[in-house]
Amino acid sequence: MSKKLNFLESSFCKVLRPPQLNLRIIKPSSMAVFAFVLFALFIVFAGVIYDLIVEPPSIGVEYVSIFQYNGSTIVAMAGKNCVAIAGDTRFGVRNQTVALDSNRIFKINNRTLFGMTGLNTDILTLRESFKFQMNLYNLEEEREISPKTFAHNVAQTLYSKRFGPYFITPIIAGLEGEDYTPFLCATDLIGAMEFPKSFVVAGTGEESLMGVCETFYKENMEPDELFEVISQCLLAAVDRDALSGWGSVVHVLTKDGITTKRLRTRKD
Amino acid sequence: MQKGGFNFDLYQRNVELIEKNNYKVPKTTKTGTTIVGVVFSDGVVLGADTRATSGPIVADPNCEKIHKISDYIWCAGAGTAADTENTTGMISLQLELLSLSTGRSPRVRTALTLLKNFLFRYHGYISAALVLGGVDFTGPHLHMIHPHGSTSTLPYISMGSGSLAAMAVLETGYNSKMGEEDAKSLVHQAILSGILNDLGSGGNVDLCVIKHKSMEFFRNVDTTNSKRKFRKKLPYMFKSGSTKILEKEIEEKMRKMEIVNEKESQIEELEEL
């Protein structure tokens, strides 16, 4: 034994020298140990309670916009004496798809189409509200409302709820006047209108839509070509948006009438 | 039907929806903006850019930010777009009724008082920052109005997110004996400075020159920012029939819905309002 130790000593200890630590052996009192253990336990339990109450774990997404609760996309484009408006038909609640045939584009009269994106309950409420207002208008004025007047009506309805708004983004597309000039209008949720000449986009897929519409849009398109362009734009954009899709509908409005076509989209 | 004024019916529901479920407050269209006003010897020049933003996205690249209050009183607005439009619209209404009932042409000071009283009642919740300028029988006037209702009367004003960039140009170039051309070019340079240096401002330059009993509105004076240099020369072409259709329905204008073939009636009808 001593020979082995001597061997170890001679080979290792010559190279490796342990450090010179002048340690005192601490002998705490039992009260001090108790206090230390109690303190450590308190820290652990307080942390657990904090995690459960102040920042509780939850399933699903937090801090997203209320506009992503239902999810929808609508685009409208102007052509030569014609307008087209297209949207998807998915009705979902957060990540769950509930229905595939929810219609968000409505006909006001032969010259005006009106689409809304955003919270579905507000879409349905406003549809009834505008139906009521338009019926009264037709009875009182004995004529049909022009798209521009209807757009101002929508903006006024939304702004009256300035401090408790409806969560929708409306789009109005129509043909104005005797020579059927295309009219497009989009507003934000409190009624700030914009009147672009080319296209308007709204909904959860609006950012993809802006890019693809800027690329494919041309001026003075005939109705057939307008249909192709708006369909391709909508299909491309809903493919990149998880909350839209599951079917789409395209309306092309010309002075002769409305052509409605349903397209096949990805079902995911 | 609806009464006038603001309707707070949905306020409680929105509080429950947004705050209790931790949703973000939705973004409204803002006019990030550079707006500028300058007084010169004969009148007032107002200038504005034309960009309206929704968050980081440009919602409208060519909107109108100079609103008419009366024939020779005009107002440029920054802040929430819906607020500036509706506030200036409301005050323009009130001023027209007032001038009809008093039989006198309206004064800029009257518009100022109406605007500041209206905005103060809402304590800044109506986010409209305005540059009010005009010429009435007492001479040219220029005022700035903040969203909380405070006002200032100054010979040159800039407001909005690009106000610092524009004020730098104004401070350098302003002198009290300017003529019309000098004032127009100064305002033009100030707005351009805002457009180039501030991310919230962009688009084209709008100018409005108001003199005694005359008003000229120059819409889109400077459009150097609007031309897309690198646009693809040959546009994308989609051949007719390239999109696959599941169902098709044609609704012709003068025909009633009952006169429809049996085959076509199987297709879902367009929901009519």
Side-chain angles (χ1 to χ4, degrees), chain B residues 126-246:
Chain B
I126 295 193
S127 164
L130 307 166
V131 170
L132 175 71
V135 177
D136 54 27
F137 71 93
T138 51
H141 297 276
L142 182 67
H143 305 283
M144 76 195 296
I145 306 162
H146 290 275
H148 282 265
S150 62
T151 59
S152 302
T153 308
L154 294 164
Y156 54 96
I157 291 171
S158 76
M159 292 193 88
S161 59
S163 65
L164 272 71
M167 186 50 87
V169 174
L170 289 176
E171 288 281 7
T172 317
Y174 180 80
N175 71 73
S176 49
K177 295 181 178 45
M178 279 196 303
E180 180 182 338
E181 288 308 314
D182 289 335
K184 267 171 67 178
S185 107
L186 180 68
V187 168
H188 187 147
Q189 289 305 312
I191 302 289
L192 256 186
S193 157
I195 287 172
L196 294 170
N197 298 305
D198 175 42
L199 300 179
S201 316
N204 312 313
V205 180
D206 284 352
L207 286 180
C208 178
V209 180
I210 312 169
K211 294 188 291 200
H212 181 63
K213 295 276 185 236
S214 101
M215 190 287 298
E216 284 169 72
F217 192 92
F218 300 98
R219 171 95 172 122
N220 290 357
V221 162
D222 188 343
T223 50
T224 44
N225 269 319
S226 297
K227 292 169 197 151
R228 280 217 352 226
K229 284 185 193 166
F230 305 108
R231 194 162 196 138
K232 187 173 188 294
K233 284 206 177 71
L234 287 174
Y236 290 99
M237 297 285 294
F238 291 108
K239 278 188 290 195
S240 182
S242 40
T243 312
K244 296 262 185 298
I245 304 167
L246 288 177

Side-chain angles (χ1 to χ4, degrees), chain A residues 63-67 69 94 103 107-108 110 119 122 127 131-132 136 156 159-167 180 188-190 192-194 207 210 214-218 228-229 231-232 251 255-264, chain B residues 1-2 6-8 10-11 13-14 17-18 22-24 26-29 57 59-60 80-83 85-86 122 125-126 228 231 235-253 268 270-273:
Chain A
Y63 299 103
V64 292
S65 167
I66 184 72
F67 283 94
Y69 185 76
R94 287 202 177 173
N103 184 26
K107 178 180 138 182
I108 305 292
N110 284 327
L119 199 63
D122 284 344
R127 166 182 152 237
K131 191 171 176 179
F132 166 66
L136 263 184
Q156 187 270 322
Y159 192 72
S160 74
K161 297 263 195 285
R162 164 70 174 90
F163 296 115
Y166 289 112
F167 297 119
Y180 300 95
D188 67 349
L189 79 166
I190 48 174
M193 290 182 284
E194 49 158 339
E207 294 182 13
M210 279 210 201
E214 279 278 6
T215 313
F216 292 149
Y217 175 77
K218 285 193 331 252
E228 297 294 336
V229 169
S231 311
Q232 292 297 323
H251 305 286
K255 65 179 169 68
D256 299 322
I258 304 174
T259 308
T260 304
K261 293 177 185 167
R262 292 189 182 268
L263 311 174
R264 178 191 299 280
Chain B
M1 261 216 331
Q2 274 180 356
F6 288 119
N7 192 328
F8 294 90
L10 291 178
Y11 178 75
R13 168 201 88 149
N14 289 359
L17 262 181
I18 289 194
N22 281 329
Y23 286 119
K24 279 194 299 219
K27 38 189 203 271
T28 58
T29 304
I57 309 273
D60 192 355
T80 305
D83 287 337
E85 275 182 40
N86 285 288
Y122 292 93
Y125 280 97
I126 295 193
R228 280 217 352 226
R231 194 162 196 138
Y236 290 99
M237 297 285 294
F238 291 108
K239 278 188 290 195
S240 182
S242 40
T243 312
K244 296 262 185 298
I245 304 167
L246 288 177
E247 287 172 0
K248 177 175 171 176
E249 183 201 332
I250 303 177
E251 182 191 311
E252 288 184 18
K253 192 178 141 190
E268 278 173 36
L270 180 66
E271 187 154 0
E272 192 178 300
L273 258 197

